[in-house]
Amino acid sequence: MLIVRPAMPTDLDDLMELAILSGPGFTSLPEDADVLSERLETSKQSFSGELPWEEAWYTLMLEDGDTGDVDGIGGVKATVGLKRPFFSFRLVNNITQSPSLGVKMNHQTLVLVNECAGWSEVGSLFLKADRRRGGAGRLLAQSRYMLMGTQPDMFAENVLAELRGVFTPDGACPFWDHVAHKFFPMDFDDADRMTGSTDKQFILDLAPRHPIYVELLPEPARAVIGKVHPQGVPAMALLESEGFRPNGLVDIFDAGPTVACGRDNIRTVRDARPLKVQIGQDIQADLPALISTDSLARFRAVRVKADLHPETVTITADAAAALKVKAGDTVRVKV
């Protein structure tokens, strides 16, 4: 049985393995033991309520309940852009026309913005290659929304997700090479690391002050603006199934798209309902249900077959043990 549970400081080795496997451009998973250790401590303090709600960053691990192997990660930031700016490029259409010549033109530009301050962010979704089938990705992705649904007032009304932009098979990033690198004279990996570990003042110091005209960029850069890394296509599909849509923002380094949705309009947040636990062995349901605890501090989630009733849900003893709940406890259920 696959279980989604809070990350703990003891997960550092597994988290480092996932960071190495994730490859370039995965800003929230740098190959830096100190940064990852700090993230795990932040997550522990977030789940225990030791941090102000707006500083919380919840990290979830996908664990094989039979072997104890950690096969994936997902995360939710309660807010972004409050202590450190959350920079993006906005794609802006500028219409120019000359009535005397009968000419009308649409010039698209990239403009540096900080529009999402105070929004929540879902991200860090990554699974080992052999887990990217059989519903594991959907379980991990939806668990983030089940977490938000346990206590919606601990998260913002607007939620965003950034998707990694396009990289070539040899690890090159066309948008970085042709555009961003002109303003940030460093390696992509260094800029990526500094984005996650500094106050981002270097971006404010060096980023372009004026709009960048897209049609003046080399074709390899134009072609990838707003496009998703091949490994991110399934994640994009999962986000779209929940109601997320592109909002016209792209990453300033790799031009990957940003998608957004209102918290209460996210399908899993909206449709999951609280039910009381009953424990039984003869489950009649044909299809599994997504079930999580109704507690943010003790959050766990699984996808198992369950019999649903108006006020209760019947699950097996094994499922109850995985969730660490007992008969009479409240869980949240999404079918």
Side-chain angles (χ1 to χ4, degrees):
M1 183 185 305
L2 295 178
I3 303 166
V4 178
R5 58 160 178 83
M8 300 299 292
T10 52
D11 289 315
L12 180 58
D13 289 345
D14 290 315
L15 189 57
M16 177 59 79
E17 180 186 7
L18 293 170
I20 294 170
L21 292 173
S22 68
F26 214 107
T27 305
S28 61
L29 283 179
E31 296 179 32
D32 187 314
D34 291 337
V35 173
L36 295 179
S37 181
E38 183 178 349
R39 175 173 178 177
L40 290 173
E41 183 61 31
T42 297
S43 182
K44 177 185 176 183
Q45 293 176 359
S46 299
F47 277 105
S48 64
E50 297 175 51
L51 295 177
W53 77 269
E54 63 272 13
E55 296 179 17
W57 185 2
Y58 305 93
T59 299
L60 298 170
M61 309 302 274
L62 178 73
E63 180 181 300
D64 187 319
D66 297 325
T67 66
D69 293 339
V70 172
D71 294 328
I73 180 178
V76 183
K77 288 184 178 179
T79 63
V80 298
L82 295 183
K83 285 195 169 183
R84 301 187 302 166
F86 189 85
F87 290 115
S88 306
F89 279 136
R90 172 163 289 286
L91 282 163
V92 178
N93 292 316
N94 298 282
I95 305 297
T96 60
Q97 55 185 338
S98 173
S100 62
L101 296 178
V103 173
K104 184 177 183 180
M105 302 184 69
N106 179 14
H107 297 288
Q108 195 171 56
T109 59
L110 294 168
V111 180
L112 187 72
V113 297
N114 177 25
E115 296 183 3
C116 299
W119 290 28
S120 291
E121 180 185 16
V122 293
S124 303
L125 186 68
F126 182 78
L127 293 93
K128 293 180 180 177
D130 58 356
R131 277 295 184 195
R132 295 172 194 166
R133 55 186 178 273
R138 181 173 293 275
L139 166 62
L140 186 53
Q142 289 185 304
S143 293
R144 300 174 302 178
Y145 314 126
M146 296 293 276
L147 174 72
M148 297 173 72
T150 63
Q151 205 166 337
D153 61 343
M154 298 289 282
F155 302 91
E157 293 183 359
N158 294 308
V159 183
L160 66 89
E162 287 189 306
L163 290 118
R164 182 164 36 162
V166 173
F167 287 74
T168 61
D170 62 358
C173 176
F175 189 81
W176 171 264
D177 291 342
H178 292 287
V179 183
H181 184 56
K182 309 299 183 185
F183 301 96
F184 301 98
M186 60 189 74
D187 291 337
F188 179 94
D189 290 343
D190 290 336
D192 198 39
R193 175 185 54 78
M194 290 176 65
T195 297
S197 62
T198 72
D199 62 3
K200 301 186 183 180
Q201 180 63 38
F202 80 102
I203 296 178
L204 197 59
D205 294 338
L206 300 176
R209 300 289 196 273
H210 305 288
I212 299 172
Y213 279 77
V214 173
E215 61 198 298
L216 299 181
L217 300 178
E219 172 57 26
R222 294 201 306 270
V224 299
I225 295 174
K227 299 296 191 300
V228 181
H229 190 288
Q231 290 186 2
V233 172
M236 181 67 157
L238 290 172
L239 286 161
E240 290 178 334
S241 72
E242 292 288 341
F244 285 82
R245 296 293 181 269
N247 66 351
L249 301 178
V250 300
D251 184 81
I252 65 171
F253 292 155
D254 63 24
T258 298
V259 295
C261 186
R263 178 197 62 207
D264 298 335
N265 292 326
I266 297 172
R267 185 164 286 112
T268 296
V269 174
R270 182 190 66 208
D271 294 349
R273 57 192 177 114
L275 296 173
K276 296 290 186 182
V277 171
Q278 291 183 331
I279 298 177
Q281 292 301 323
D282 188 20
I283 305 299
Q284 302 297 313
D286 294 325
L287 297 175
L290 176 63
I291 304 177
S292 79
T293 60
D294 195 36
S295 165
L296 190 153
R298 297 182 298 278
F299 183 81
R300 295 173 77 86
V302 297
R303 192 184 301 278
V304 294
K305 290 185 178 181
D307 289 334
L308 305 182
H309 313 286
E311 304 294 334
T312 63
V313 57
T314 302
I315 59 177
T316 65
D318 287 343
L323 290 166
K324 296 187 177 181
V325 297
K326 60 184 184 301
D329 287 347
T330 299
V331 293
R332 300 184 72 251
V333 182
K334 166 73 168 61
V335 293

